[in-house]
Amino acid sequence: MQVETLEFEAEARQLLHLMVHSIYSNKDVFLRELISNASDALDKLRLEAFLNKDLQVDTSDLHIDVEIDKEQRTLTVRDNGIGMSRDEVVNLIGTIARSGTVEFLNKLKESKNAVASQELVGQFGVGFYASFMVADNVTLLTRRAGESQATRWESKGEGTYTIESVDDALQGTSVTLHLKPEDKEEHLFDYTADWKIKEIVKRYSDFIAWPIRMEVERTNKDGEATSDIETINSMKALWARSRNEVEESEYKEFYKHVSHDWSDPLEIISMKAEGTFEYQALLFIPSRAPLDLFMRDHKRGVQLYVKRVFIMDHCEALMPEYLRFVKGVVDAQDLSLNVSREILQQDRQIQMIRRRLVKKVLSTVQDMMTNNVDRYHTFWNEFGRVVKEGLLGDYENSDAILGISSFASTKDAEQLTTLRQYLDRMKEGQQHIYYMTGQSRLITENSPHMEAFRAKGFEVLLLTDPVDEMWVDTVREFDGKQFQSIAKGQVDLDTEEEKKTTEAERDQQNKDFAALLSWMTTTLQEHVREVRLSSRLTTSPACIVGDTSDFTPTLQKMYRAAGQHVLNIKRILELNPTHPLVSALQKAHGERPDDPGLVETAELLYGMALLAESGELSDPSRFIRLLGDRLARTL
């Protein structure tokens, strides 16, 4: 048969060089690509045999063979799949030499960065050419099912390739690589070693549905060398089997494999989507938080497979940051990947899978909350602080996140409460979900801001996680009830009946204290923007509150600790008109307004209010001196 030699154009040689030297970060993936192509060929033959009853083919033993010749340093990947005709070889394997190459390279040169370049490369399905990373000569022999003539394609990956028709060949495709010498500095390993091939197959192609067979050398008990044909992939993709076909122990073992965790998972989530695009997922919620959960370099994301071929270990595109503890596998039938299969292109399909995975995880936690309270409590104790991070950005699922959240409350010192439980206990006529943020339960629960709420029996949520300081400013309501900080804005807890009896009393108090409030506002103008009477205090003399939009002191500390500049916001000092200290100050100011001791008393009152909320004094030494002098004069 005539051998036809074709020459790559200059641009095509440039593109081939790019394929070999720039796209793949790990040369081992050449075998993944060849096995993936072989698996596709077997899938196509089975489908073709089903659709075309006249096609005389044997589908009883579809498989992939990997053959090693150590003396000749060759590696062959062979399948008995659909095969290719001569025209298909030219069109598919010869894609690299087609007319679109010049246009492609022009676009590649116009790209401003590497990521954009790789997205352009993703338009070309040429993973087969990864073979030239490890081989200096590649031979392809193929015969299409139902045809008698075969085709041989051969190239050194340089300037030319040859193609010829041959008569004697098995159905399917074999790709033979004449391997380059081993060079570990160039990450070229001994691909004629059994252990290396098995290692690559285990990592990338273990769950391929077809058996991958290889002749493996062994030494018997007499020391004699023998060889056996061994299936080197497990073909056990747990996610492709229904729950009732898999033992619980298999799931637990697989979880430990993908998570490197020694304990059993808390929850197993199995998913299967069919329709416009298909994928399967097997996810796990751990029973304990990993030690690096809050570390910056913590690796997150699930393993990604495409048609059971391993693509990447930590696919961040499929799992948001606040669910970074979720482990598992997603196996899609088709995804927009770049040529190296190593970088996902952000497209609608990826976003849709991610959206469904997130909703499934959140609904699973909701089911735990309803049906297995102990398991839910374990989950929330381990991961609640992380889950609440989702309230800062995942607005689509904020209601679901709030629905599975639990918080400390003034209702019970031991048990956490859900927002649904809070709503069920709300007083008649109550319009807000009251909360207070702080550094600890002890500080928050004993805050002066809590006094009126405690006295009138209103339940208050105690939010002490750092993330609580931020999400309460972005999430406004739950189930129609607005969140309201008890340390911000005005507080009015009186019923309509109480308002009728106290309105006149408050008006009189405002008149009586008007002079003092004006004087203190001027005296403390470096620290506060207003001094007013309080309706939230019952036993403390004073407290400091902010406007609805003000940063809390804790949030200001967090931003400063992160190196961000935060303006010093002046807040409001509220006085309790019924407290002896405040009433005595009001009386003294009326009798001797020029007494310098009154200024010291005002400063002490402000300092006490600041310390009550764990604030920081601007001049602690002055406060201590004033307090010491005042105490000394009372003895």
Side-chain angles (χ1 to χ4, degrees):
M1 293 292 179
Q2 182 179 358
V3 178
E4 187 177 0
T5 301
L6 303 176
E7 184 172 323
F8 290 127
E9 296 179 358
E11 291 84 357
R13 287 197 294 271
Q14 294 177 36
L15 184 55
L16 182 55
H17 186 273
L18 175 68
M19 300 295 171
V20 175
H21 298 287
S22 302
I23 295 176
Y24 291 94
S25 59
N26 183 355
K27 289 181 170 56
D28 289 354
V29 298
F30 84 91
L31 187 56
R32 178 190 72 184
E33 296 297 321
L34 296 180
I35 290 176
S36 180
N37 291 342
S39 177
D40 289 343
L42 296 173
D43 289 337
K44 290 175 181 177
L45 178 64
R46 185 171 61 177
L47 179 61
E48 185 76 12
F50 175 77
L51 297 175
N52 184 0
K53 301 304 181 184
D54 296 329
L55 185 64
Q56 299 298 315
V57 293
D58 182 8
T59 59
S60 61
D61 185 29
L62 299 180
H63 63 278
I64 301 167
D65 284 321
V66 179
E67 298 177 2
I68 294 173
D69 187 329
K70 294 186 177 182
E71 292 183 2
Q72 299 296 321
R73 284 195 58 77
T74 62
L75 173 67
T76 300
V77 177
R78 178 181 292 109
D79 68 77
N80 55 347
I82 191 68
M84 290 179 284
S85 65
R86 181 187 177 94
D87 288 343
E88 287 173 325
V89 171
V90 173
N91 290 330
L92 298 176
I93 303 300
T95 299
I96 196 169
R98 292 172 68 92
S99 59
T101 304
V102 175
E103 180 184 357
F104 167 73
L105 280 176
N106 288 336
K107 289 182 178 180
L108 196 64
K109 291 173 183 177
E110 293 171 4
S111 299
K112 301 299 183 182
N113 54 59
V115 173
S117 300
Q118 290 192 328
E119 289 179 353
L120 287 172
V121 173
Q123 300 171 20
F124 291 75
V126 287
F128 166 79
Y129 283 88
S131 302
F132 289 104
M133 293 190 300
V134 300
D136 50 25
N137 187 65
V138 176
T139 302
L140 178 142
L141 181 62
T142 183
R143 178 170 68 84
R144 201 182 201 288
E147 297 185 0
S148 58
Q149 195 169 64
T151 303
R152 183 195 304 274
W153 180 100
E154 187 170 359
S155 176
K156 294 183 181 297
E158 296 174 347
T160 62
Y161 63 91
T162 63
I163 190 168
E164 63 176 315
S165 298
V166 295
D167 294 325
D168 185 20
L170 297 174
Q171 172 198 302
T173 302
S174 67
V175 181
T176 300
L177 281 58
H178 299 267
L179 298 167
K180 297 176 182 178
E182 183 177 4
D183 186 348
K184 292 184 178 180
E185 290 188 3
E186 292 293 326
H187 301 284
L188 285 171
F189 300 99
D190 186 5
Y191 294 112
T192 63
D194 294 354
W195 70 268
K196 183 61 180 177
I197 300 303
K198 293 171 74 172
E199 176 191 86
I200 298 173
V201 170
K202 180 70 175 176
R203 175 166 177 75
Y204 292 109
S205 308
D206 195 44
F207 303 119
I208 290 288
W210 308 106
I212 303 172
R213 298 170 182 166
M214 184 174 71
E215 186 175 8
V216 178
E217 293 185 356
R218 303 182 187 281
T219 303
N220 62 22
K221 60 182 180 180
D222 297 324
E224 298 174 342
T226 61
S227 61
D228 297 304
I229 300 298
E230 180 180 324
T231 299
I232 58 176
N233 65 319
S234 71
M235 298 179 288
K236 293 182 179 180
L238 294 187
W239 58 85
R241 296 154 61 187
S242 62
R243 287 291 293 264
N244 57 11
E245 294 177 346
V246 183
E247 297 289 337
E248 195 78 6
S249 59
E250 292 183 88
Y251 281 129
K252 291 177 180 178
E253 184 177 344
F254 183 73
Y255 164 73
K256 293 173 183 178
H257 169 70
V258 298
S259 68
H260 308 294
D261 188 7
W262 52 266
S263 57
D264 292 336
L266 183 68
E267 194 70 31
I268 302 168
I269 305 172
S270 182
M271 293 179 63
K272 184 176 183 180
E274 298 176 339
T276 307
F277 54 88
E278 299 181 2
Y279 66 90
Q280 295 165 319
L282 181 59
L283 306 178
F284 301 92
I285 297 177
S287 56
R288 61 188 184 92
L291 297 176
D292 61 349
L293 186 61
F294 291 98
M295 294 182 181
R296 183 170 297 180
D297 57 353
H298 173 79
K299 291 183 178 180
R300 66 178 176 88
V302 296
Q303 291 185 352
L304 174 65
Y305 286 74
V306 174
K307 295 181 180 178
R308 300 195 188 183
V309 177
F310 177 76
I311 303 301
M312 65 175 66
D313 213 3
H314 302 284
C315 183
E316 297 183 356
L318 289 173
M319 198 61 63
E321 181 76 20
Y322 72 93
L323 295 180
R324 57 185 176 272
F325 52 86
V326 175
K327 304 296 181 183
V329 168
V330 174
D331 185 4
Q333 287 303 302
D334 187 26
L335 283 178
S336 299
L337 305 174
N338 75 352
V339 66
S340 70
R341 301 182 183 225
E342 291 174 339
I343 299 177
L344 281 171
Q345 296 176 0
Q346 297 300 310
D347 62 7
R348 177 179 172 275
Q349 190 171 340
I350 291 295
Q351 295 304 316
M352 185 63 70
I353 295 175
R354 171 187 171 123
R355 190 175 295 119
R356 291 179 180 178
L357 294 179
V358 170
K359 290 186 180 300
K360 183 64 175 179
V361 172
L362 296 180
S363 66
T364 299
V365 177
Q366 182 68 62
D367 290 341
M368 274 197 290
M369 176 185 274
T370 304
N371 302 316
N372 196 321
V373 177
D374 290 341
R375 184 173 293 185
Y376 164 75
H377 285 158
T378 298
F379 166 82
W380 192 254
N381 289 335
E382 295 292 328
F383 304 109
R385 184 175 161 194
V386 183
V387 171
K388 287 187 289 185
E389 293 176 9
L391 296 171
L392 300 176
D394 190 357
Y395 306 117
E396 179 182 351
N397 293 300
S398 61
D399 285 344
I401 296 172
L402 287 173
I404 63 170
S405 298
S406 291
F407 307 95
S409 152
T410 54
K411 167 68 175 163
D412 193 318
E414 302 295 331
Q415 297 294 328
L416 301 179
T417 186
T418 67
L419 290 177
R420 181 59 55 196
Q421 292 169 333
Y422 181 97
L423 294 185
D424 291 342
R425 293 193 296 263
M426 281 175 61
K427 295 170 70 71
E428 184 178 353
Q430 182 178 342
Q431 297 301 316
H432 297 93
I433 299 172
Y434 294 114
Y435 72 87
M436 183 172 179
T437 60
Q439 296 179 10
S440 69
R441 180 184 183 115
L442 180 65
I443 293 173
T444 330
E445 200 167 22
N446 293 307
S447 167
H449 300 95
M450 199 72 68
E451 292 173 3
F453 291 86
R454 186 182 297 109
K456 290 187 175 288
F458 284 91
E459 182 178 357
V460 179
L461 300 178
L462 309 175
L463 310 182
T464 56
D465 287 333
V467 68
D468 294 330
E469 292 284 353
M470 293 178 281
W471 73 257
V472 291
D473 287 330
T474 60
V475 180
R476 298 299 182 186
E477 63 175 44
F478 175 74
D479 199 18
K481 297 293 185 180
Q482 290 192 333
F483 290 97
Q484 172 64 54
S485 170
I486 68 170
K488 291 183 179 181
Q490 295 276 12
V491 168
D492 187 0
L493 303 180
D494 291 341
T495 63
E496 291 300 321
E497 210 47 49
E498 290 173 326
K499 287 178 182 177
K500 294 177 183 179
T501 59
T502 59
E503 188 172 350
E505 181 181 340
R506 288 180 181 173
D507 287 343
Q508 186 59 49
Q509 284 179 338
N510 284 327
K511 291 179 182 178
D512 294 342
F513 282 82
L516 175 67
L517 297 177
S518 177
W519 173 79
M520 287 190 67
T521 299
T522 302
T523 301
L524 299 174
Q525 60 183 342
E526 287 188 23
H527 309 291
V528 300
R529 66 169 175 268
E530 181 186 356
V531 180
R532 68 189 183 199
L533 296 183
S534 177
S535 59
R536 73 187 84 216
L537 298 173
T538 59
T539 57
S540 297
C543 69
I544 298 176
V545 300
D547 277 343
T548 305
S549 59
D550 285 353
F551 281 6
T552 64
T554 304
L555 188 56
Q556 291 185 55
K557 290 179 185 177
M558 289 170 57
Y559 278 116
R560 291 193 181 103
Q564 298 188 37
H565 176 69
V566 180
L567 292 175
N568 187 27
I569 301 173
K570 293 182 181 180
R571 296 191 296 149
I572 300 164
L573 178 66
E574 287 192 351
L575 304 181
N576 178 2
T578 63
H579 193 278
L581 175 59
V582 176
S583 58
L585 179 61
Q586 187 261 347
K587 180 180 179 182
H589 178 264
E591 295 174 351
R592 50 183 196 281
D594 297 328
D595 186 348
L598 299 180
V599 176
E600 294 181 356
T601 303
E603 289 186 36
L604 288 172
L605 201 56
Y606 167 73
M608 291 163 57
L610 194 62
L611 291 174
E613 65 167 14
S614 298
E616 295 181 354
L617 296 165
S618 58
D619 190 351
S621 60
R622 175 175 171 78
F623 179 83
I624 295 298
R625 187 175 68 254
L626 292 177
L627 181 61
D629 291 346
R630 184 58 57 90
L631 290 173
R633 289 200 294 269
T634 63
L635 296 176

